[in-house]
Amino acid sequence: MYSVSVRDHMMIAHSLRGDVFGPAQRLHGATYVVDVEFRRRDLDESGIVVDIGRATELVHAVLAGMNYRNLDEEPSLKGLNTTTEVLARLIFDRIGAAIRRDELGPGGRAVETIRVTLHESHVASAAFEGRVGEHIRGSEFEFA
Amino acid sequence: MYSVSVRDHMMIAHSLRGDVFGPAQRLHGATYVVDVEFRRRDLDESGIVVDIGRATELVHAVLAGMNYRNLDEEPSLKGLNTTTEVLARLIFDRIGAAIRRDELGPGGRAVETIRVTLHESHVASAAFEGRVGEHIRGSEFEFA
Amino acid sequence: MYSVSVRDHMMIAHSLRGDVFGPAQRLHGATYVVDVEFRRRDLDESGIVVDIGRATELVHAVLAGMNYRNLDEEPSLKGLNTTTEVLARLIFDRIGAAIRRDELGPGGRAVETIRVTLHESHVASAAFEGRVGEHIRGSEFEFA
Amino acid sequence: MYSVSVRDHMMIAHSLRGDVFGPAQRLHGATYVVDVEFRRRDLDESGIVVDIGRATELVHAVLAGMNYRNLDEEPSLKGLNTTTEVLARLIFDRIGAAIRRDELGPGGRAVETIRVTLHESHVASAAFEGRVGEHIRGSEFEFA
Amino acid sequence: MYSVSVRDHMMIAHSLRGDVFGPAQRLHGATYVVDVEFRRRDLDESGIVVDIGRATELVHAVLAGMNYRNLDEEPSLKGLNTTTEVLARLIFDRIGAAIRRDELGPGGRAVETIRVTLHESHVASAAFEGRVGEHIRGSEFEFA
Amino acid sequence: MYSVSVRDHMMIAHSLRGDVFGPAQRLHGATYVVDVEFRRRDLDESGIVVDIGRATELVHAVLAGMNYRNLDEEPSLKGLNTTTEVLARLIFDRIGAAIRRDELGPGGRAVETIRVTLHESHVASAAFEGRVGEHIRGSEFEFA
């Protein structure tokens, strides 16, 4: 199995709902350093998993939709508890949707699985990984 | 698959038995920077894998049992060759046992697999990953 | 010159005032991974710069005053533009004030200079360094 | 599953063929920080995955075959597009071949899978992982 | 003293002249992860050292002049031994020249010193720091 | 001012004397990831601060004198409280002594200052920096 990973980040405000979150129920914020790993069994004829330039732009575009925002007021996130885990899944879903729209180029369709990791500090991170296409039906997070 | 990782560390002395260890047969020591990744298929109703606060405390408590000690003289490690691999397994076992005692909260039981990684320097690490419960029978490392 | 550094972090929401900040004028947030370096010319009789345990607690306490908060609504920050640079200075001032209150122990008074670095992402950071006591008069940031 | 990882690096020049590579079609270069993870189900009688000293030497020897070279002119790489992905596979193949020659010691044969990760910058990496032995037949990259 | 640091990278080929360089006399390459730290005594009226957006763009533009190139054939580097130290100085000089052309904005003139660090691997780096303006006369590296 | 930094590590056991150290008074251990930065005003005729190959070997040799040892029983450290700060100074002294013996080559004598940083975990480090030669008289740590 081959993979390629790219890193970017976003800086957001939000609050979390539920006693389990303690002081994180207050409005606060986070820098998420985001690693997206694209995986496939074989390389294409150029010897790559995906065009890393396009992958970088795609990840940047997906994060730009949330960067420098208060997620509590984002219409597209209405009703979501924007935990690190949920955001990892949401970014996975949006990248998967972009791949289906061929935004990674024709080779993007060969990507089999994606892992999205969000580092919220030097001591904590969360991730979601799954098959591309898994999000098509039944994603509890992406409605648009 | 979702996951959450937390990082902590411990500083121990020990020696290793066997010619393969060369100078590490002498009494020496290590800082282990420890990453513990908790994984499960679905999130709970709060949108999390585990309560990260409790996970952090649990990992800290498990490491506290070895921190600032000479492992060669720890009764609970008697007979073990405390290689980085063995310590990764031991920490896995102890976290698994704590989950069975519900120390991660009721949601802890939903954790399916755990990966424990010990970084012993900027150039070397070891890890153990397995299913929670795998340690119940036949662990060669955990006797209590 | 000797130094000791400790690392902690805080997660805050805020917005910045001024056209120069572009989209960061919106309410957003950040994780600041904070390194505080304490420096002095000579070691004490135990062979240390400061008690690293107390230094760790002090930094944690200073950050706890801002952690999980919206800095735009913090009374103690009223009127401040909470840029990364300003926050570095503010943390420096508060640590300096705590040292004057002997919260680092009697040896804390021997600390000559402090450097506070805030990493806001994997690609950007800001810092303030100065002599302890420099903040006593004329700090534009600390009024309490 | 247990694993051990070691890190080393190499510094090479090369150029890439294909419009997809844009400016990387020009002769340029890279430092690859290389992590090699060796995995097996059980530990040996010493409590290790592999002799980490021999693993470190093996990885160093494999990288030495490319280090400080222009890969465009390496006879053993003739015809290859030396993308990060292809180099990860090539290093995997060469380590696998060395294991078959017992260069990791007799325990090396117990290694089941290997993951080779090449970090080309602070924001991009590529990896190949597979079963040892998988490369025996049908590797498109290793001819010698 | 306040500072702001930004990070970027470049990937170049080159060779070094002199027996001291051993195998690095051959054509090889490097990824340089570059940190540029801008320092000044006081903040501007917005509470910043420099506009971090413009600083990021400036560093990117300076590196773009060398990125994806064989430095041995760069006309602007003719006659230079492009060691990591020399490249750190060269980048310092070019940033200083850009500041004199007001490419950091009017506030850029308030920057007093700059430190440029080039990480060539996980185990080695080189840096140059100096006063802005120091490069005006007598730089042995910048001729244009 | 130019500088070059190299990184290596050592793994030691020790105990610390004094109530201030709490549980670290017990025999325990540490991995120290060690950065040594060599600084001088001007480059030599090859465009370097020091021969980085020789610098790497020198740092490795100095650390080898303590690596895989119990520092409590090292004759050359008798009477020392081997805190991270003291070890940073000790390594500084030993590197300085080696430079005086020309073990860095003739160019080594041009090094003006050295900074030795010991990272004892992902959250704590200590450092000593000083002029080469400063250690000649009055070092409280180096007797040989």
Side-chain angles (χ1 to χ4, degrees):
Chain A
M1 182 65 70
Y2 292 92
S3 70
V4 162
S5 290
V6 297
R7 172 169 284 194
D8 203 334
H9 74 288
M10 64 177 180
M11 304 177 81
I12 59 90
H14 68 157
S15 61
L16 298 172
R17 293 191 314 269
D19 290 346
V20 69
F21 297 107
Q25 293 172 277
R26 301 196 296 249
L27 182 63
H28 65 289
T31 304
Y32 291 112
V33 175
V34 181
D35 290 314
V36 182
E37 185 182 24
F38 301 89
R39 300 174 183 148
R40 53 187 283 194
R41 180 154 298 276
D42 298 301
L43 300 179
D44 75 6
E45 66 283 1
S46 296
I48 57 175
V49 167
V50 291
D51 177 346
I52 199 170
R54 292 184 82 160
T56 299
E57 286 166 17
L58 171 54
V59 172
H60 192 75
V62 167
L63 300 185
M66 290 181 273
N67 202 5
Y68 292 122
R69 281 180 171 79
N70 176 1
L71 301 188
D72 293 355
E73 304 191 345
E74 270 298 291
S76 72
L77 305 177
K78 202 175 176 62
L80 285 186
N81 215 10
T82 56
T83 62
T84 313
E85 294 92 321
V86 166
L87 291 172
R89 174 62 185 267
L90 187 77
I91 293 167
F92 172 90
D93 284 351
R94 292 183 175 181
I95 290 173
I99 287 176
R100 288 202 309 280
R101 293 190 304 266
D102 280 333
E103 294 182 16
L104 263 188
R109 297 248 176 187
V111 173
E112 296 168 43
T113 60
I114 291 177
R115 179 183 169 97
V116 177
T117 307
L118 272 65
H119 305 271
E120 68 179 53
S121 73
H122 62 305
V123 291
S125 65
F128 178 75
E129 66 179 86
R131 297 192 66 78
V132 181
E134 215 173 88
H135 58 288
I136 295 180
R137 282 174 309 280
S139 167
E140 58 266 56
F141 303 123
E142 181 75 15
F143 308 101
Chain B
M1 183 63 71
Y2 291 91
S3 70
V4 162
S5 289
V6 296
R7 172 169 286 194
D8 203 334
H9 74 289
M10 63 176 180
M11 304 178 80
I12 59 90
H14 67 158
S15 62
L16 299 171
R17 292 192 314 269
D19 289 347
V20 69
F21 297 106
Q25 293 172 275
R26 300 195 297 248
L27 183 63
H28 65 290
T31 304
Y32 291 112
V33 176
V34 180
D35 290 314
V36 182
E37 185 182 24
F38 301 89
R39 299 174 183 148
R40 53 188 280 192
R41 179 154 300 275
D42 297 301
L43 298 179
D44 74 7
E45 66 284 1
S46 296
I48 57 175
V49 168
V50 291
D51 177 345
I52 198 170
R54 292 184 83 158
T56 298
E57 286 167 18
L58 171 54
V59 171
H60 193 74
V62 166
L63 300 185
M66 291 182 272
N67 202 5
Y68 292 122
R69 280 180 172 80
N70 176 2
L71 301 188
D72 293 355
E73 304 192 345
E74 270 299 290
S76 71
L77 305 177
K78 202 172 175 63
L80 286 186
N81 215 9
T82 56
T83 62
T84 313
E85 293 93 321
V86 166
L87 291 172
R89 175 61 186 269
L90 187 76
I91 293 167
F92 172 89
D93 284 352
R94 291 182 176 183
I95 290 173
I99 287 176
R100 288 202 309 280
R101 293 189 304 266
D102 281 333
E103 295 182 15
L104 262 187
R109 297 248 177 185
V111 172
E112 296 169 41
T113 60
I114 291 177
R115 179 183 169 97
V116 177
T117 307
L118 272 66
H119 305 271
E120 68 177 55
S121 73
H122 63 304
V123 291
S125 65
F128 178 75
E129 67 179 86
R131 298 190 67 75
V132 181
E134 214 172 89
H135 59 289
I136 295 178
R137 283 173 307 280
S139 168
E140 58 266 54
F141 302 124
E142 181 76 15
F143 308 101
Chain C
M1 182 64 71
Y2 292 91
S3 70
V4 162
S5 290
V6 296
R7 173 169 286 194
D8 203 334
H9 74 288
M10 63 177 181
M11 303 179 80
I12 59 90
H14 67 158
S15 62
L16 299 171
R17 293 191 313 269
D19 290 347
V20 69
F21 297 106
Q25 294 173 275
R26 301 197 295 249
L27 182 63
H28 65 290
T31 304
Y32 291 112
V33 176
V34 181
D35 290 314
V36 181
E37 185 182 23
F38 300 89
R39 298 174 184 148
R40 52 187 282 193
R41 180 154 300 275
D42 297 301
L43 298 180
D44 74 7
E45 65 284 1
S46 296
I48 57 175
V49 168
V50 292
D51 178 346
I52 199 171
R54 292 184 83 159
T56 299
E57 286 166 18
L58 171 54
V59 171
H60 193 75
V62 167
L63 300 186
M66 291 181 273
N67 202 5
Y68 292 122
R69 282 179 169 79
N70 177 1
L71 301 188
D72 292 358
E73 303 191 345
E74 269 300 290
S76 72
L77 305 177
K78 202 175 174 63
L80 286 185
N81 216 8
T82 55
T83 62
T84 312
E85 294 92 321
V86 166
L87 291 172
R89 174 61 185 267
L90 187 77
I91 293 167
F92 171 90
D93 284 353
R94 291 182 176 184
I95 290 173
I99 286 176
R100 287 202 310 279
R101 294 189 304 266
D102 281 332
E103 295 183 15
L104 261 187
R109 297 245 177 188
V111 172
E112 296 170 42
T113 60
I114 291 176
R115 179 183 169 97
V116 177
T117 307
L118 272 67
H119 305 270
E120 67 177 55
S121 73
H122 63 303
V123 292
S125 65
F128 178 75
E129 68 179 85
R131 298 191 66 76
V132 181
E134 214 173 88
H135 58 288
I136 295 178
R137 283 173 307 280
S139 168
E140 60 266 55
F141 302 123
E142 181 75 14
F143 307 101
Chain D
M1 182 65 70
Y2 291 92
S3 71
V4 162
S5 289
V6 296
R7 173 169 284 193
D8 203 335
H9 74 288
M10 64 177 181
M11 303 178 80
I12 60 89
H14 67 159
S15 61
L16 298 171
R17 294 190 315 269
D19 289 347
V20 70
F21 297 106
Q25 294 172 275
R26 301 195 296 248
L27 183 62
H28 66 290
T31 304
Y32 291 111
V33 175
V34 180
D35 290 315
V36 182
E37 185 183 24
F38 300 89
R39 298 174 183 150
R40 52 188 281 193
R41 180 154 300 274
D42 298 300
L43 299 180
D44 75 7
E45 65 284 1
S46 296
I48 57 175
V49 168
V50 292
D51 177 347
I52 199 171
R54 292 184 82 159
T56 299
E57 286 167 18
L58 171 54
V59 171
H60 193 74
V62 166
L63 300 186
M66 290 181 273
N67 202 5
Y68 292 122
R69 281 180 170 79
N70 176 1
L71 301 188
D72 293 356
E73 303 192 345
E74 270 299 290
S76 71
L77 305 177
K78 202 173 175 65
L80 286 185
N81 217 9
T82 55
T83 63
T84 312
E85 293 93 321
V86 166
L87 291 172
R89 173 62 184 266
L90 187 76
I91 292 167
F92 172 90
D93 284 352
R94 290 182 176 184
I95 290 173
I99 287 176
R100 287 201 311 278
R101 293 190 304 265
D102 281 332
E103 295 183 14
L104 262 188
R109 296 250 177 184
V111 173
E112 296 170 41
T113 60
I114 291 176
R115 179 182 169 98
V116 177
T117 307
L118 272 66
H119 306 269
E120 67 177 56
S121 74
H122 62 305
V123 291
S125 65
F128 179 75
E129 67 179 85
R131 297 191 66 77
V132 181
E134 214 174 87
H135 58 288
I136 296 179
R137 281 174 308 279
S139 167
E140 58 267 56
F141 302 124
E142 182 74 16
F143 308 101
Chain E
M1 182 65 70
Y2 292 92
S3 71
V4 162
S5 289
V6 296
R7 173 169 284 194
D8 203 335
H9 74 288
M10 63 177 180
M11 304 178 82
I12 60 90
H14 68 157
S15 61
L16 298 171
R17 292 192 315 269
D19 290 346
V20 70
F21 297 106
Q25 293 172 278
R26 301 196 294 248
L27 182 63
H28 64 289
T31 304
Y32 291 112
V33 175
V34 181
D35 289 314
V36 182
E37 185 181 25
F38 301 89
R39 298 174 183 150
R40 52 188 281 193
R41 180 154 299 274
D42 297 301
L43 298 180
D44 74 6
E45 65 284 1
S46 297
I48 57 174
V49 167
V50 292
D51 177 347
I52 199 171
R54 293 185 80 160
T56 299
E57 286 167 18
L58 171 54
V59 171
H60 192 76
V62 166
L63 300 186
M66 292 181 273
N67 201 5
Y68 292 122
R69 282 182 169 77
N70 177 0
L71 301 188
D72 293 355
E73 303 192 346
E74 270 298 292
S76 72
L77 304 177
K78 202 176 177 63
L80 285 186
N81 216 10
T82 55
T83 62
T84 313
E85 294 93 320
V86 166
L87 292 172
R89 173 62 185 267
L90 187 77
I91 292 167
F92 171 90
D93 284 352
R94 291 181 176 184
I95 290 172
I99 287 176
R100 288 202 310 278
R101 293 189 304 267
D102 280 332
E103 294 183 15
L104 262 187
R109 297 250 176 185
V111 173
E112 295 169 43
T113 60
I114 291 175
R115 180 182 169 98
V116 177
T117 307
L118 273 65
H119 305 271
E120 67 178 54
S121 73
H122 62 305
V123 291
S125 65
F128 179 75
E129 67 179 87
R131 297 191 66 77
V132 181
E134 216 173 88
H135 58 287
I136 296 178
R137 282 173 309 280
S139 166
E140 57 267 54
F141 303 123
E142 182 74 15
F143 308 100
Chain F
M1 183 64 70
Y2 291 92
S3 71
V4 162
S5 290
V6 297
R7 173 169 284 193
D8 203 334
H9 74 289
M10 63 176 180
M11 304 178 81
I12 59 90
H14 68 158
S15 61
L16 299 172
R17 293 191 313 270
D19 289 347
V20 69
F21 297 106
Q25 293 172 275
R26 300 196 296 249
L27 182 63
H28 65 290
T31 304
Y32 291 112
V33 175
V34 181
D35 290 314
V36 181
E37 185 182 24
F38 301 88
R39 300 175 182 147
R40 52 188 281 193
R41 179 153 301 274
D42 298 300
L43 299 179
D44 75 6
E45 66 283 1
S46 296
I48 57 176
V49 168
V50 291
D51 177 346
I52 198 170
R54 293 185 81 159
T56 299
E57 286 166 18
L58 172 54
V59 171
H60 192 75
V62 166
L63 300 186
M66 290 182 273
N67 202 4
Y68 292 121
R69 281 179 171 79
N70 176 2
L71 301 188
D72 292 356
E73 303 192 346
E74 270 298 291
S76 71
L77 305 177
K78 202 173 176 62
L80 285 185
N81 216 10
T82 56
T83 62
T84 313
E85 294 93 320
V86 166
L87 292 172
R89 174 60 185 270
L90 188 76
I91 293 167
F92 172 90
D93 284 352
R94 292 182 176 183
I95 290 172
I99 287 176
R100 288 202 309 278
R101 294 191 301 267
D102 280 333
E103 294 182 16
L104 262 188
R109 298 248 177 186
V111 173
E112 295 169 43
T113 60
I114 291 177
R115 180 184 169 96
V116 177
T117 307
L118 272 65
H119 305 271
E120 67 178 54
S121 73
H122 62 304
V123 291
S125 65
F128 178 75
E129 66 179 87
R131 298 192 65 78
V132 181
E134 213 172 90
H135 58 289
I136 295 179
R137 280 175 307 280
S139 168
E140 59 266 55
F141 302 123
E142 181 76 16
F143 308 101

